[in-house]
Structure formats: structure tokens, C-alpha cells
């Protein structure tokens, strides 16, 4: 079930983070008077449905419908994921990944907290000072009329507003799921946005509802509670998983391993640069060709893989007659239909991540799933 998968995926992402490039952040958690706070929890991501244990201490069986509903029904119970705990003097050492933007600290009672942005550069080793303030309980509800007012389950992410200077940063701070069309979280004063979606049919268990555009809200310390009201869930575009499932049912999808030993399939292109993208690979006969699949939704592609490809391409410019790299940009949203639109989307990446550089090798743009289907690729990045 997707409502179970959301939790499993959340935990899986956190497990994968441990395998990516890490760095340590040192800091101290203090109260409003500057006194050290011991046993505070510090994490990059929290969930607002409590831990994975029932009141008697035994773990929830999320395959059991009743226990699954009990777990998602514990709204407002703040629990960190992969947290570090402050020592007696309030100090801590937290391990973060390259995409983590901020740390969220709460005292043991979960009454006071602080969100502190992490310096982007690993050269800045100054310890963070996280000063706790009283947390505000933020609530809201969801409604919809597009599916006969049926909503089986909703899931929300509280995020920091996007920072154009850190376009690849992970802005998510809290996860909250509910069978009752509600969310409840605790936040310190500040500005936030809410990324929320829903499932209308429990049997199909497909995300088909979404709050769009994502609402923004501000939390002020002058109140203990904030109700942001009812939010409308509209029809969500088909997810990549749904589109892949449909392609497999109609035999349009073949796993990439089944293509070994075959002539590479033709790509589908709506635009391109640096190559006659309509001729496909025919114009590159006699060369070694690497197809690098990436997309604007793939932070590892933009932050790690593409810069490596760009560096390799430029370093081996003297052997350019022997090989070619083709960057195939897959736009799952279907919203980027030209190279000029892609250029605008890439500008913050070029400015703030690639040090002003542009992709030096040819680019092919596909805003459909056709190339994806033909190559049977399991993922980007």
C-alpha cells in the first residue's frame, strides 16, 4: 500500500543518505537564556506520527490494517529520524549529507525547538548555536470535490521555502500522514510551505490528489496554535510509477538488461542542442557513445554526476573525435518543451552549483516517457 510505502520510502531514503558523502556538523543547543539543553534531539528530518512502537513498547505491524491506522492516527507526536542527542553540556555532533539544508532540534519534552540552516561549505567549521524557542502547534485539513469528495489517506511534508542559491538542497523538515484528512505538526517561528498529496481509492492505492500550488504559511511566536484551514486537493498528474506500470502492461517497457547485445533503441526528442537530435545515433557512427540520462528532478544527477561528466568531457577534449557524450534530459513533468525552457530551469544550477559553467556536450530533450520506455531504465542518477 502506498501509505505504507511512503513510510518505508522515507526510512529508505534516510538509510541511503548514510551511503552518500557525509560531513559532520558540531553545535550546541541552548535555551532562551543561553543555558545548555541536555538530551535534546537534533535531526534533519522529523515525522509527526511518533515512533514505530505502540504504547506497550512493541513495534507496530504495518501490514495489519488496524495497526497501520493507529500509527498514522497519532498526529502531532514529533519523532526525529536518525537523530543525534545533545550531551550534558548541550553539545552535539551530527552527520549530514551533501543535500541537507538545515537541522531541527527539539528538547526532550518536544515543547521547544529551533531550525538552523547548515553552512553550505564544508570549510566553515564554526559550531552552530541552536537557541530553542517555544514551538507552535500547526494544524490543517484537506478537502476535495474532484473525486466525489473521497479521500482515503493524505500525506504532507512541511518544507522550508526554496532558496535559489541552494537549488539542490533538501528542504523537507517534517513528514505527517493521516487517514482523517488532517495534519498536525510543531514548528518554531518562521516561514514554511506544505507539499501535500492524497489517495482517493484505498483499493488502487495510487496518489491521485495533490495540493497545488503548495501553500505557504508563516508561524509567529505570539500564539501557541495556528490553524491554516482547509486545503483543496486537486487531481494529480500520473506519477512516473503509474506511467511505467501502464507501459509494462502494454509491453512498451523492457528492462534495460534485456537490451544487452542489441542495437541501441532510437531516442524520442522534442528538442536538442549540439547534435542533429532527429537523426538519433546515426550521426555518431564510428564513435564510442555514452548516453547520460538525467532530469531536473534528479538532484544527484545535477549535483554529482553531470559535473563529473562535464569535467571528463573537457579534460579529454583532444580525443573528442573518438567519443561523444549525449546528455538525455528526461522531463517527467512534461512541462519543459524546448531548450530555451530547459536553459531557464538550469540557470540557478549553473550559477550556484556549476560555478557558471554550462553543459559542454550535446543535449537531447524528451518531455515524454517514450525514451524512458524504449531503454527500460530503472532510475536517474
Amino acid at each position: 500500500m502506498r501509505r505504507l510505502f511512503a513510510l518505508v520510502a522515507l526510512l529508505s531514503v534516510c538509510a541511503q543518505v548514510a551511503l552518500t558523502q557525509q560531513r559532520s556538523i558540531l553545535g550546541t543547543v541552548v535555551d532562551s537564556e543561553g543555558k545548555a539543553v541536555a538530551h535534546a534531539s537534533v535531526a534533519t528530518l522529523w515525522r509527526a506520527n511518533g515512533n514505530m512502537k505502540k504504547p506497550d513498547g512493541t513495534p507496530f505491524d504495518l501490514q495489519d490494517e488496524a495497526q497501520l491506522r493507529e500509527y498514522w492516527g497519532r498526529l502531532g507526536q514529533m519523532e526525529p529520524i536518525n537523530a543525534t542527542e545533545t550531551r550534558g553540556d548541550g553539545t552535539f555532533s551530527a552527520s549530514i549529507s551533501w543535500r541537507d539544508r538545515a537541522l531541527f532540534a527539539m528538547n526532550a519534552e518536544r515543547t521547544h525547538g529551533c531550525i538552523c540552516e547548515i553552512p553550505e561549505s564544508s570549510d566553515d567549521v564554526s559550531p552552530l548555536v541552536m537557541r530553542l524557542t517555544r514551538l507552535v502547534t500547526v494544524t490543517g485539513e484537506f478537502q476535495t470535490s474532484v473525486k466525489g469528495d473521497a479521500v482515503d489517506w493524505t500525506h504532507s511534508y512541511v518544507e522550508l521555502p526554496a532558496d535559489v542559491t541552494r537549488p539542490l538542497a533538501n528542504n523537507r523538515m517534517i513528514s505527517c500522514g493521516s487517514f482523517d484528512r488532517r495534519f498536525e505538526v510543531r514548528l518554531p517561528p518562521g516561514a514554511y510551505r506544505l507539499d501535500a498529496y492524497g489517495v482517493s481509492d484505498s483499493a488502487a492505492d495510487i496518489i491521485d490528489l495533490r495540493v497545488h500550488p503548495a501553500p505557504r504559511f508563516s508561524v509567529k511566536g505570539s500564539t501557541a496554535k495556528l490553524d491554516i484551514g482547509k486545503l483543496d486537493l486537486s487531481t494529480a498528474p500520473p506519477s512516473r510509477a503509474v506511467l511505467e506500470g501502464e507501459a509494462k502492461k502494454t509491453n512498451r517497457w523492457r528492462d534495460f538488461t534485456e537490451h544487452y547485445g542489441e542495437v541501441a533503441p532510437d531516442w524520442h526528442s522534442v528538442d536538442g542542442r549540439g547534435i542533429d537530435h532527429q537523426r538519433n545515433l546515426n550521426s555518431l557512427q564510428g564513435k564510442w557513445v555514452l548516453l547520460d540520462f538525467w532530469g531536473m528532478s534528479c538532484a544527484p544527477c545535477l549535483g554529482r554526476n553531470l559535473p563529473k561528466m562535464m569535467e571528463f568531457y573537457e579534460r579529454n577534449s583532444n580525443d573528442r573525435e573518438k567519443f561523444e557524450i549525449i546528455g538525455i534530459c528526461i522531463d517527467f513533468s512534461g512541462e519543459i518543451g524546448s531548450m530555451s525552457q530547459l536553459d531557464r530551469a538550469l540557470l540557478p544550477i549553473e550559477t550556484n552549483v556549476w560555478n557558471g559553467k554550462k553543459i559542454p556536450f550535446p543535449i537531447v530533450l524528451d518531455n515524454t516517457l517514450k525514451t524512458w520506455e524504449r531503454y527500460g531504465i530503472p532510475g536517474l542518477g
Side-chain angles (χ1 to χ4, degrees):
M1 294 184 293
R2 194 167 298 276
R3 51 189 179 272
L4 172 57
F5 173 75
L7 177 62
V8 173
L10 183 65
L11 298 177
S12 176
V13 167
C14 293
Q16 292 175 22
V17 164
L19 302 177
T20 62
Q21 183 176 349
Q22 301 282 295
R23 65 185 175 107
S24 294
I25 297 293
L26 303 178
T28 304
V29 176
V30 299
D31 62 17
S32 59
E33 298 178 351
K35 296 179 180 178
V37 178
H39 308 299
S41 295
V42 183
T44 57
L45 182 63
W46 290 66
R47 52 176 175 245
N49 295 96
N51 58 30
M52 301 300 297
K53 294 183 179 180
K54 294 182 287 186
D56 63 5
T58 60
F60 279 102
D61 179 3
L62 299 181
Q63 300 297 332
D64 180 272
E65 182 73 15
Q67 293 189 46
L68 184 68
R69 288 182 174 273
E70 181 182 355
Y71 171 77
W72 289 117
R74 302 182 307 166
L75 300 182
Q77 297 188 29
M78 305 301 297
E79 184 70 19
I81 299 175
N82 292 340
T84 184
E85 187 174 290
T86 58
R87 309 175 185 94
D89 60 355
T91 61
F92 67 87
S93 175
S95 181
I96 64 166
S97 77
W98 66 278
R99 289 191 63 204
D100 290 328
R101 175 180 169 184
L103 287 170
F104 192 172
M106 288 192 200
N107 62 358
E109 297 77 22
R110 307 298 190 248
T111 58
H112 290 70
C114 172
I115 293 177
C116 187
E117 294 218 21
I118 302 165
E120 187 172 9
S121 173
S122 58
D123 296 332
D124 188 345
V125 296
S126 303
L128 297 178
V129 177
M130 305 188 71
R131 188 177 297 271
L132 304 186
T133 61
R134 187 182 65 170
L135 294 173
V136 177
T137 298
V138 181
T139 59
E141 297 182 55
F142 298 102
Q143 62 184 10
T144 185
S145 58
V146 297
K147 294 288 183 177
D149 206 34
V151 182
D152 180 65
W153 183 74
T154 58
H155 190 253
S156 310
Y157 284 108
V158 176
E159 302 179 345
L160 297 175
D163 180 354
V164 69
T165 67
R166 304 182 70 172
L168 301 182
N170 182 7
N171 298 316
R172 290 178 172 176
M173 301 305 300
I174 305 175
S175 160
C176 182
S178 171
F179 281 99
D180 299 319
R181 305 186 186 189
R182 299 188 300 114
F183 71 91
E184 179 179 328
V185 300
R186 295 181 186 177
L187 287 165
Y192 304 94
R193 72 189 292 273
L194 191 75
D195 180 23
Y197 57 84
V199 174
S200 65
D201 185 350
S202 59
D205 204 19
I206 294 173
I207 294 174
D208 55 355
L209 299 168
R210 184 170 288 278
V211 175
H212 184 77
R216 298 174 180 270
F217 62 94
S218 295
V219 175
K220 302 183 184 301
S222 57
T223 179
K225 294 183 179 181
L226 171 66
D227 183 358
I228 65 174
K230 292 187 176 181
L231 304 174
D232 288 318
L233 289 160
S234 56
T235 301
S239 67
R240 193 188 89 191
V242 170
L243 295 173
E244 286 183 5
E246 294 174 351
K248 290 176 182 177
K249 288 180 182 178
T250 55
N251 295 319
R252 302 195 312 272
W253 177 281
R254 289 176 58 197
D255 185 274
F256 75 99
T257 59
E258 298 178 17
H259 290 296
Y260 289 167
E262 298 179 357
V263 174
D266 284 345
W267 60 60
H268 177 270
S269 173
V270 297
D271 204 351
R273 175 185 293 136
I275 187 175
D276 184 348
H277 60 99
Q278 300 294 346
R279 289 189 62 198
N280 267 271
L281 293 169
N282 295 328
S283 61
L284 298 172
Q285 292 184 11
K287 289 187 177 183
W288 293 98
V289 180
L290 171 65
L291 302 182
D292 182 24
F293 290 86
W294 59 281
M296 294 303 299
S297 61
C298 177
C301 300
L302 298 167
R304 290 291 188 263
N305 297 352
L306 275 173
K308 290 179 180 178
M309 290 292 178
M310 292 160 65
E311 192 274 335
F312 175 87
Y313 196 74
E314 293 172 343
R315 189 175 69 247
N316 294 279
S317 59
N318 293 334
D319 295 320
R320 195 71 53 75
E321 73 282 356
K322 300 178 184 178
F323 77 96
E324 188 59 273
I325 296 176
I326 308 295
I328 300 185
C329 178
I330 304 294
D331 173 41
F332 294 112
S333 71
E335 297 176 354
I336 301 177
S338 66
M339 286 304 302
S340 60
Q341 290 178 318
L342 180 60
D343 287 340
R344 286 195 292 272
L346 281 173
L347 185 58
I349 311 296
E350 295 169 352
T351 303
N352 300 288
V353 181
W354 297 346
N355 297 318
K357 294 183 178 180
K358 295 181 178 293
I359 296 176
F361 44 79
I363 301 175
V364 169
L365 171 64
D366 186 8
N367 64 356
T368 72
L369 215 68
K370 293 180 180 178
T371 304
W372 195 257
E373 292 172 355
R374 294 171 186 174
Y375 278 83
I377 304 168
L380 295 174

